[in-house]
Each structure stands twice: as C-alpha cells, then as structure tokens.
Amino acid sequence: MEFLTNLDQRLGEMAAQHGALVYLVLFAIAFSQTGLLLGPAIPGNTVIFATGMLASGADPILGWPLAAGSLFAGGAVGNVANYAQGHKFGRAVFERKESGMISRESLAKTDAFFAKHGRWTMILSPFVPFVRSFAPFIAGVGRMHLPPYLTWGAIGVAVWVVAIMLAGSALGQVPWIRENIGLALILIFAIVSAQIGLAVYRKSRAKVTAR
C-alpha cells in the first residue's frame, strides 16, 4: 500500500537508481494490464498518471517519448498475447457445453458481439480496470478478425497511454492530486464516465422519441 500511495516517488527513485531499466518496468506493467488476466492487481492507470507527472515539469525525471513508447509497446504486445490465449485455449472451454454462461450458446453471442462492437470495445476497454485485462482474451475467444483487432487495439492502447500521461502532466503539479493519485483518478474517471453515460442516455432517448 505504501508503494501505491507514493508511486511517483518510487518511480523516481527507480529511475535514479536503475536508469533506463525503469522503462523496462513500465513496459512490463503495461503488458500485465492487457496481457494477463491478473493484470488488475496492479493499478495501471495510477502508474501511467504518475509517469506523466515524472515526465513533465521544469526538471523531468523520465523522458516523455521513451516512457509513452514503453507503456504503449507493453500494452500492445499484451493485447496480442492475451488474444492468442483466448483464441487457442478459451474457445475450447466454451465449446464443452451446449448452454449456460460458458457454452456454445454464449460463444455464438460473443462472436456476434465482437463482429459488431469489437472496434469500440478495443478502443475504450484500456481505460477500465478488469475490462482491459479480459477484453483481449474474449476477443480471441470470439475470433475477432486479427487485422482490425490489431489496429483498434493499438489505437486504444495509444489513446489510453497518451490521455492519462497528459492528465498526469497537467494535473500532477497540484499538491492534493500529487498526494492522492488513486482517489483523484477515481474522481476523474467517475466524472468522465457520468458524462459519457449521460450522452448515451440522451442519444437513446432521442431515438425512442423519433420513433
């Protein structure tokens, strides 16, 4: 817990003691977020936000391009690894039963979902803990076509990394936010999610009214 509450200091110390190896750590953390089903155990958004803080200011500890590139590469490679696991192993599990949550019936629905919504799922899923760890695996189970999966998955990871690093650069200089990174991120994403939910609700209401 102490590591999480002083994440910017820990990353700064790591950069000072181990130099360029800190970028390998960032790669590994991003990989764990999209490549491992246990990725949510590590607070990926908090790590990226703290990285943005350390890569900005008058005397940045980390290089912005290298940090963003390391996080992007880790997330993109993780997407591919998790997709491969779902494609090779997950589908066989679903095919064992005819009905139920894990069954051929659910598999057919998964195939249809990714055929229709795969693009937006891969763009938005990196922002949501747990979802970013499971979406690539389920995309593999649903056999989303690989070229669009790679394209939209890479775009999603890039937007995720850059957006949160920019937020860290812009807001990380505020003392309260710097001392409460986790809580600040929860509040930011709650506000953004509420705005998105409200926009979707209004759009659906407009469609209903138009009918």
Side-chain angles (χ1 to χ4, degrees):
M1 183 61 68
E2 183 182 355
F3 175 82
L4 301 182
T5 54
N6 299 283
L7 196 54
D8 59 323
Q9 296 178 22
R10 299 292 179 177
L11 285 174
E13 292 170 2
M14 193 179 300
Q17 294 175 11
H18 304 291
L21 284 178
V22 71
Y23 297 110
L24 184 59
V25 172
L26 293 177
F27 175 95
I29 290 174
F31 176 89
S32 75
Q33 295 298 291
T34 61
L36 303 176
L37 295 180
L38 297 178
I42 300 174
N45 290 343
T46 306
V47 171
I48 298 175
F49 190 91
T51 301
M53 290 168 47
L54 295 173
S56 60
D59 188 21
I61 297 174
L62 298 175
W64 227 99
L66 277 175
S70 299
L71 290 166
F72 169 77
V77 173
N79 265 348
V80 175
N82 213 349
Y83 177 95
Q85 294 176 66
H87 190 274
K88 185 170 184 179
F89 303 111
R91 198 167 184 90
V93 175
F94 277 77
E95 289 176 339
R96 290 176 183 174
K97 294 175 60 180
E98 291 293 335
S99 61
M101 181 177 291
I102 300 178
S103 64
R104 293 180 183 178
E105 181 183 2
S106 297
L107 186 58
K109 293 179 180 178
T110 301
D111 291 348
F113 176 85
F114 275 95
K116 186 176 182 180
H117 304 291
R119 174 178 61 178
W120 286 109
T121 299
M122 296 315 302
I123 290 175
L124 299 176
S125 63
F127 288 91
V128 186
F130 294 98
V131 176
R132 63 172 164 259
S133 297
F134 285 93
F137 183 86
I138 299 300
V141 172
R143 289 184 177 173
M144 181 177 176
H145 291 304
L146 191 56
Y149 172 81
L150 293 176
T151 300
W152 299 116
I155 290 173
V157 170
V159 172
W160 171 51
V161 168
V162 172
I164 298 184
M165 279 192 65
L166 285 174
S169 297
L171 303 175
Q173 310 310 314
V174 179
W176 184 88
I177 292 178
R178 197 178 191 94
E179 294 169 8
N180 300 275
I181 298 175
L183 179 58
L185 278 173
I186 291 173
L187 292 174
I188 292 170
F189 283 105
I191 294 171
V192 172
S193 298
Q195 292 292 327
I196 294 174
L198 183 59
V200 171
Y201 173 75
R202 287 175 174 171
K203 188 174 181 179
S204 63
R205 282 290 302 272
K207 288 183 178 179
V208 172
T209 303
R211 291 177 184 174

